[in-house]
Amino acid sequence: MDRERPPTFSPALPTASFQQVQFVDTFQEVVLQLLWLENILHFSQGTFNLALTVFHRLLVSVKVRETLLHCVTITSLRLAAKVNEEEELIPRIKDFRKHYGSGYTSNELLRMELAILDKLHWDLYIGTPLDFWTIVSPRSFQSLP
């Protein structure tokens, strides 16, 4: 007797959509973390924007364990500050840890910096949505009559 086979579904689609939802939730959590950080060290908005972009690029390229999300977020902010801020405004690791990453040792934050830089091939100079807006917005207003 021939039994009819039940229809088969590709496991790639449900898994992919689950991963996408998980990615969106994770990214939203990081955005909220950065928004709620008190800007004690007076970083520019561009620095926070670059931190989000660095985090997004990292999250797209590797899977980050949930237990490391906060450390990666804080480290992304520190790397963004190193790229965007004036040299005298970049906090020492001790000061940065005191205000933003007290749950981590200096060595943990420095190792995370190296890991992120390695995964992103040491390329942190990337355009952000804020950069795009800054370039496009004045040109748009100039073309108005």
Side-chain angles (χ1 to χ4, degrees):
M1 203 151 68
D2 253 335
R3 292 186 177 172
E4 273 189 51
R5 283 187 182 180
T8 57
F9 298 100
S10 171
L13 288 175
T15 305
S17 65
F18 174 73
Q19 287 173 343
Q20 187 177 18
V21 167
Q22 190 176 12
F23 174 80
V24 169
D25 289 345
T26 301
F27 193 69
Q28 183 179 10
E29 181 181 325
V30 169
V31 169
L32 292 174
Q33 279 181 5
L34 283 175
L35 285 174
W36 285 106
L37 279 179
E38 190 176 344
N39 196 0
I40 295 168
L41 300 173
H42 308 291
F43 294 140
S44 68
Q45 187 61 41
T47 298
F48 283 96
N49 206 353
L50 182 59
L52 278 175
T53 304
V54 166
F55 183 83
H56 179 263
R57 284 182 59 209
L58 182 70
L59 205 58
V60 167
S61 62
V62 295
K63 184 172 178 142
V64 178
R65 286 184 291 165
E66 197 171 329
T67 56
L68 294 175
L69 278 179
H70 186 258
C71 185
V72 171
T73 303
I74 297 302
T75 305
S76 296
L77 179 60
R78 181 164 160 75
L79 287 170
K82 286 181 174 183
V83 171
N84 266 4
E85 300 295 332
E86 297 295 325
E87 191 169 336
E88 60 271 3
L89 296 178
I90 299 171
R92 294 178 307 175
I93 188 79
K94 184 176 96 177
D95 297 331
F96 193 84
R97 234 183 87 227
K98 182 172 87 175
H99 295 295
Y100 295 121
S102 60
Y104 308 101
T105 66
S106 298
N107 284 339
E108 287 174 323
L109 291 175
L110 292 171
R111 277 197 325 260
M112 186 59 74
E113 276 187 26
L114 278 175
I116 291 172
L117 288 168
D118 183 52
K119 292 296 179 193
L120 298 180
H121 308 289
W122 290 76
D123 181 21
L124 293 181
Y125 194 74
I126 46 182
T128 66
L130 184 61
D131 295 332
F132 176 77
W133 179 252
T134 305
I135 292 168
V136 170
S137 133
R139 291 182 183 168
S140 299
F141 292 124
Q142 289 173 352
S143 65
L144 291 175

